[in-house]
Amino acid sequence: MGMAPGAPPTGFGGGSGGSGGGGKGWLWGLGGAVVASAVWAGVLFATGGFDGDAAEADLAGYRYTTNLCTPTDTQSFKDSGYQQKDGTGSTSNPQHSSSENPALDSMTCNIDFEPNAASSSDYSSVWLYTTASLHKKTDPAPEFEAQYRAYEDQKTSSYSYQVSPVSGLGDEAYVVKQEGRTSSTGAYVILAVRDGWMTYQSTWSEYVSSSASATAKTPEEATDMLKKSAKATLEKMKR
């Protein structure tokens, strides 16, 4: 005798009982499926699997500015014997740019310096390049460290990079030092900070000719200047 149309499959009950047992088994299986679906939906909501429930950006109080050079603090560089160069011709100093977007706000500032003790015949190239980004859609935390650890794989016969964590700045921070240059000719150092969904990077690049009267900072001295500048700058970016 065939199964009546619409009758539940007997396999769901897990047994060989009559129609009553099979019906209860089918209802139990259906209930389990509903519970499993509810649990899965909860997981999707918790992890942002549904677009309508994406995690809210944690900007940690930082604000977008059209001119990042305004909050960029340069006191530590002045205290260390540097002065801002005058603009030449159509080239202004400092220079800045910015872009505001629903997904990502980006800001940059570039400042050219020169040693106070430099003579007119000395050649030197000293600049501070700062960037700040407000990530509004994607949390930068999972990839932040890896972005700077990648420098450790960039090696040549003349230089390499050392990456170290830095305490006291944001949720996490790293310093990248280029090794290979001597302290008498220059330093190249990057300081990177993540605070919530805000990322900040300041780069110090200095080259002084060996015949110049001024002496370049060591990577350690440059790191100290960058840390002091970053701490003051990040505080100003919240005002």
Side-chain angles (χ1 to χ4, degrees):
M1 180 176 179
M3 183 179 294
T10 57
F12 275 101
S16 57
S19 61
K24 291 179 180 179
W26 178 76
L27 290 174
W28 181 261
L30 178 60
V34 171
V35 171
S37 297
V39 171
W40 178 241
V43 171
L44 288 176
F45 275 113
T47 59
F50 291 115
D51 291 340
D53 196 53
E56 183 178 353
D58 174 17
L59 300 181
Y62 294 96
R63 301 174 182 273
Y64 171 77
T65 177
T66 57
N67 187 352
L68 184 61
C69 294
T70 299
T72 296
D73 192 276
T74 60
Q75 190 60 49
S76 63
F77 309 108
K78 295 176 181 177
D79 292 343
S80 298
Y82 294 90
Q83 61 186 359
Q84 184 175 307
K85 279 186 175 181
D86 294 329
T88 57
S90 59
T91 303
S92 60
N93 183 41
Q95 296 181 322
H96 68 273
S97 65
S98 60
S99 175
E100 191 171 20
N101 186 277
L104 178 69
D105 292 346
S106 302
M107 299 154 274
T108 71
C109 172
N110 186 73
I111 305 175
D112 286 333
F113 290 95
E114 62 182 356
N116 293 340
S119 67
S120 58
S121 60
D122 287 347
Y123 173 77
S124 65
S125 173
V126 187
W127 50 263
L128 172 72
Y129 182 66
T130 303
T131 67
S133 299
L134 301 179
H135 303 256
K136 301 176 182 178
K137 298 295 184 181
T138 306
D139 184 358
E143 300 177 353
F144 188 73
E145 180 179 359
Q147 179 181 351
Y148 293 95
R149 289 291 180 188
Y151 277 94
E152 295 175 326
D153 297 325
Q154 299 182 29
K155 301 177 181 179
T156 70
S157 58
S158 58
Y159 65 84
S160 61
Y161 293 94
Q162 178 186 13
V163 182
S164 306
V166 176
S167 60
L169 290 171
D171 292 327
E172 60 177 325
Y174 301 91
V175 63
V176 181
K177 300 177 185 177
Q178 187 183 78
E179 298 181 328
R181 296 183 181 183
T182 63
S183 60
S184 61
T185 58
Y188 184 83
V189 180
I190 299 171
L191 176 65
V193 181
R194 181 189 65 80
D195 197 359
W197 289 26
M198 186 284 304
T199 56
Y200 168 93
Q201 176 180 306
S202 56
T203 303
W204 174 262
S205 178
E206 178 177 21
Y207 173 78
V208 178
S209 64
S210 57
S211 60
S213 56
T215 302
K217 298 298 182 185
T218 65
E220 290 70 29
E221 290 172 329
T223 298
D224 186 60
M225 292 189 298
L226 288 175
K227 288 168 63 176
K228 291 178 180 178
S229 174
K231 185 174 182 179
T233 298
L234 294 176
E235 290 176 355
K236 293 179 182 179
M237 286 180 63
K238 291 185 176 183
R239 297 174 185 171

